[in-house]
Every structure is written in structure tokens, then in C-alpha cells.
Amino acid sequence: MTEPRIVVVSPRTWGQFGNFLAATRLAGVLRERLPGREVDVWEAEPLLPFMGEYGARIAEISTGSPDARTRTTRYLALMAEIDQAYPAGFETDPGHPVADRLDGLREALAEARPELVIGTKGFVARLCRAALHGSDVPVVSYVTNPGLLELPIHRSAALHATLVPFAWAGQRLVTEVGADPASVHVVGPLVARHDLGSFVSADVDLDARPGWPVPAADGPDRPRIIVFSNRGGDDYVRVLNHLADRHPDTDVVFVGYDDPALIERVTRDVGLTRWRFHTKLTQREYFAYIEGAAAADHAFLISKAGPNTTLEAASFGIPVLMLESGLPMESWVGGLIDEHGLGRCRVTADELLADLDQWLTDRALIAARKRDCRAFAASVLDPQGTAERIENAIRPLLDRRRVAATPGAPERNRP
């Protein structure tokens, strides 16, 4: 007899692997909290080729748009196109043309025979619901970024459960989409404290020296700054040149994610051999940098305002200086940063450079934001509590299905 199975379906090409990392984190929680079950993580793209096609277009919009406003316009246009092709209600309509596009997913689920399916995008959960039409297998949407609920393709009242990180996201599903309040579960953010921004690559071995430079014994501690450039490099090149010109007494780690041409350009121009430059990081290098930054009195992260990056940094007590990405589902992150004192979020590089000068001139501002990050992490980022709430949301779905499958089970227990 095969073990009961839970399947988590997640796209790799939507969100620069962050979404798939969230799926692996979730799977780890389920294995720990629901022993005796197989928990599989499936890539969506091999089963649903159109997901990869859309993912490639999202990547081009993200990296190929000249500015945030253009990025927003182009992204929303693509989402409207997807919404037209996959309109509200398709997930419960077996006669809808979408059904003909789901053969790969439908066949894989029929072979795996899971007792529960989770999609890490609302759109993916809706596709799973459609592929399982006629089955009693419950389908759950695990919301990794509540900003996605602004987009119709990620919202549905037809799912058996939706797990959200914050109460305001759950309320939006109830009031705007008509979801049953009993099906919406506020579980909190699942922060793993090890995959900040998905820049870690365990199979890349770089020659660059890992770890922060050691300051001279009689010299002052230098501020430690991590700069992540993963969505267009020009603004971050400006930041780097500004630091080199005005604040050379800092230690900088610059990550031009998967962009060797950018790294070649900045290493040629900056000329500070003490600074570190990477296109990816090994696990060893990553931990050396993060632990060193977390231990320093004056350290911070500069990047685009992604929710996972912000939350992961806060969990280490590292404040942030962020640039808005122009992606509408990330527009809420600036409010989170401001509300909890996690740092600053700006629209333009000029604004960010002004903040940078202010922080490095008055370093007490950095120390204050670090304290705020730690307070936020202690009060909001509760990995064990989140894991328990995920279990409490999932286990009743499994129990109800098991009762319904038992011969002679009363009808009221059937889903």
C-alpha cells in the first residue's frame, strides 16, 4: 500500500525561483507536521507548458522594461491577457475550453492519486481545481505574496482553502471575492532564514573570497552593505559608484544576479579590491555574508522591494533600503517597511542615494532600524507558530476526506 500523498504544484519561472523556494519550504513544514505522508513538489511548467511561456514573458518584462512605470503597464497588460484566457469560474466549469489545456496536469494527478493538492500561486491552484473536476480531492491555494490577490487570476472562491500570510489579505478574499470565511486561514509569513531573495546556488563554486574583510585591529568597524541587483542593473550601478566615490570606508558585497556582464562592468569601474562581487553565491559564501552583516552594528541591504527579500532580511535583523520594482503585486511592501521601521522604500535612485548618505553620515539611524527589525521579527515572524497554523488548516481537509472515503461514513461528513 502506497503512502498517502500531498502534491505541491509551483512554477519556477514566475518570480525568479522565489515561488518555487516557497513551495519547498512549505513541503518541509508539511513533512514535519504531517508524518506518514509523501509530500511532492512538482514544477508546473513541464505539466502546463503555457506557464513557462507566460513566465518567460514576465521575466522579459521584469528585466527589459526601462523604468518602473513601463514595467507596471506591461505587467498589468499581460495579467489582463491571462485573465481573458482563464476567466472567473473556469475552475468549476468542465465544459470550458481551458479544460483542453490541462491534459498533462490531469494525467499526472490521476497517476499520483494525491489526497490533497496545493498551488503556490492562486492561478496554479485554480488550474489544479479544474484538472481535478469530478474528484473529491481538496485543492488549496498557498499565498506567498498577498499582493498577488490584487490580480483576478490569483483569486477564487471555489477553492477548498486559501492560506494567507496577513489578516488584511484574508479579509480581501472574503469581501471582494466572496470566499467562505471558514476557508480562509491567516497562517503568517513562512520565513526560512536561509534563502533571502533566492540568490543562493549550492552548485556554483566561485573563486571569490567568502566572508567579509577583516578590519585592521586598530581601525574602526566599517559599515557592511549587501547590494542585490536582480531586476535591471543601472540604478544599482549608480548606488555602487556613489558608495565608491563618497563612502569608500564601507565593506560592500554586490550581487548582480545571473548577470556576469554587469559584474565585469562594475569590477572594472569601482576599483576597490576589498569589495566582493558575485553573480551567484555558494551556501558557504551566503551564510558568511549574512551572519557577518547580522552581527555588525551598522549593516543593511539594498535591493528592489520584494516581500520575501524584505521579510528574510528583517528576520536576521538587517534593515533595508529598497527601490520600488514597478511590479504591482509588490507595491504593498513599501507600506510594510514604513509601518514597522524596517528601513526605507523609494521610487527613484536619487531618493535612495539621499537616504544612503543620511544613514552613513548618522550611523545611529542604522542601529535604530536594526532594533526595529528585531522587534518586528520577534512579534510577527514566528516560524513555529506559522507551521502550526498551516497544519491546523490542512489537517481538517485530510481528515474530512478520509472520513468521507470510509464505507458507511455519514453523509454530513462528506466534503
Side-chain angles (χ1 to χ4, degrees):
M1 183 176 179
T2 59
E3 295 283 352
R5 184 180 305 273
I6 296 173
V7 169
V8 181
V9 185
S10 179
R12 270 192 180 272
T13 58
W14 293 43
Q16 290 196 323
F17 305 106
N19 200 71
F20 198 78
L21 285 167
T24 61
R25 286 198 302 242
L26 175 62
V29 168
L30 296 175
R31 292 185 188 108
E32 177 185 345
R33 291 279 174 166
L34 301 169
R37 290 177 173 84
E38 297 287 338
V39 181
D40 296 336
V41 180
W42 291 358
E43 295 182 33
E45 288 82 355
L47 305 171
L48 301 166
F50 58 83
M51 290 294 295
E53 295 167 7
Y54 286 136
R57 292 174 64 183
I58 291 171
E60 194 283 322
I61 289 169
S62 297
T63 60
S65 299
D67 52 56
R69 179 174 296 179
T70 303
R71 188 175 295 118
T72 299
T73 300
R74 294 180 64 197
Y75 186 87
L76 289 176
L78 175 58
M79 294 300 107
E81 177 187 327
I82 298 174
D83 185 45
Q84 186 174 11
Y86 299 85
F90 82 80
E91 56 267 45
T92 55
D93 180 3
H96 196 280
V98 170
D100 296 333
R101 307 168 201 162
L102 306 180
D103 288 346
L105 177 60
R106 187 182 298 110
E107 292 168 5
L109 290 171
E111 182 177 354
R113 301 177 63 187
E115 61 175 347
L116 183 133
V117 176
I118 302 174
T120 60
K121 293 275 189 198
F123 182 42
V124 173
R126 294 173 68 205
L127 294 168
C128 292
R129 181 79 163 88
L132 286 164
H133 184 79
S135 166
D136 64 351
V137 175
V139 178
V140 176
S141 174
Y142 178 69
V143 179
T144 58
N145 174 3
L148 291 169
L149 297 177
E150 297 280 351
L151 305 170
I153 69 165
H154 294 300
R155 309 189 303 191
S156 175
L159 302 173
H160 297 86
T162 301
L163 279 53
V164 298
F166 301 111
W168 59 264
Q171 187 61 37
R172 174 164 293 169
L173 273 174
V174 173
T175 59
E176 297 182 10
V177 185
D180 180 354
S183 73
V184 179
H185 305 270
V186 181
V187 298
L190 187 59
V191 178
R193 291 176 58 89
H194 69 269
D195 52 22
L196 178 61
S198 71
F199 295 101
V200 180
S201 177
D203 57 358
V204 174
D205 188 14
L206 303 179
D207 291 331
R209 296 159 295 172
W212 295 96
V214 178
D218 57 349
D221 290 339
R222 294 187 291 263
R224 293 177 170 179
I225 305 170
I226 302 172
V227 182
F228 281 134
S229 170
N230 72 320
R231 207 179 301 285
D234 287 349
D235 285 335
Y236 300 100
V237 171
R238 283 191 62 193
V239 168
L240 199 65
N241 289 333
H242 186 88
L243 285 167
D245 291 341
R246 300 199 184 183
H247 306 284
D249 59 335
T250 57
D251 286 337
V252 175
V253 174
F254 183 88
V255 182
Y257 180 69
D258 206 22
D259 194 345
L262 176 64
I263 293 299
E264 182 179 355
R265 172 184 168 191
V266 297
T267 52
R268 181 183 64 243
D269 294 346
V270 169
L272 285 172
T273 58
R274 188 179 72 250
W275 289 4
R276 310 290 199 237
F277 302 90
H278 301 274
T279 57
K280 287 192 173 100
L281 297 174
T282 66
Q283 290 279 2
R284 180 179 58 137
E285 290 166 331
Y286 170 77
F287 279 117
Y289 290 139
I290 291 297
E291 291 171 0
D297 291 331
H298 305 112
F300 53 93
L301 167 74
I302 299 174
S303 183
K304 65 97 176 174
N308 291 333
T309 309
T310 301
L311 292 171
E312 294 282 359
S315 75
F316 285 98
I318 301 173
V320 296
L321 287 179
M322 295 293 204
L323 277 174
E324 291 187 4
S325 69
L327 295 175
M329 68 283 197
E330 296 176 344
S331 62
W332 64 277
V333 178
L336 177 79
I337 292 170
D338 290 342
E339 178 183 356
H340 296 282
L342 307 181
R344 299 264 179 88
C345 181
R346 297 305 191 190
V347 176
T348 69
D350 286 337
E351 294 171 313
L352 187 143
L353 292 177
D355 291 330
L356 187 60
D357 287 338
Q358 185 182 36
W359 279 22
L360 291 174
T361 300
D362 183 1
R363 295 177 184 177
L365 296 172
I366 306 173
R369 298 291 74 75
K370 181 174 182 176
R371 290 192 294 272
D372 290 339
C373 287
R374 288 179 169 174
F376 172 80
S379 61
V380 177
L381 304 180
D382 175 15
Q384 290 304 313
T386 295
E388 182 177 354
R389 288 185 287 271
I390 290 172
E391 177 190 355
N392 291 340
I394 296 297
R395 189 178 288 279
L397 296 173
L398 300 173
D399 292 343
R400 282 199 296 270
R401 185 165 187 267
R402 187 177 304 106
V403 169
T406 302
E411 187 67 28
R412 70 176 184 274
N413 288 329
R414 298 184 184 274

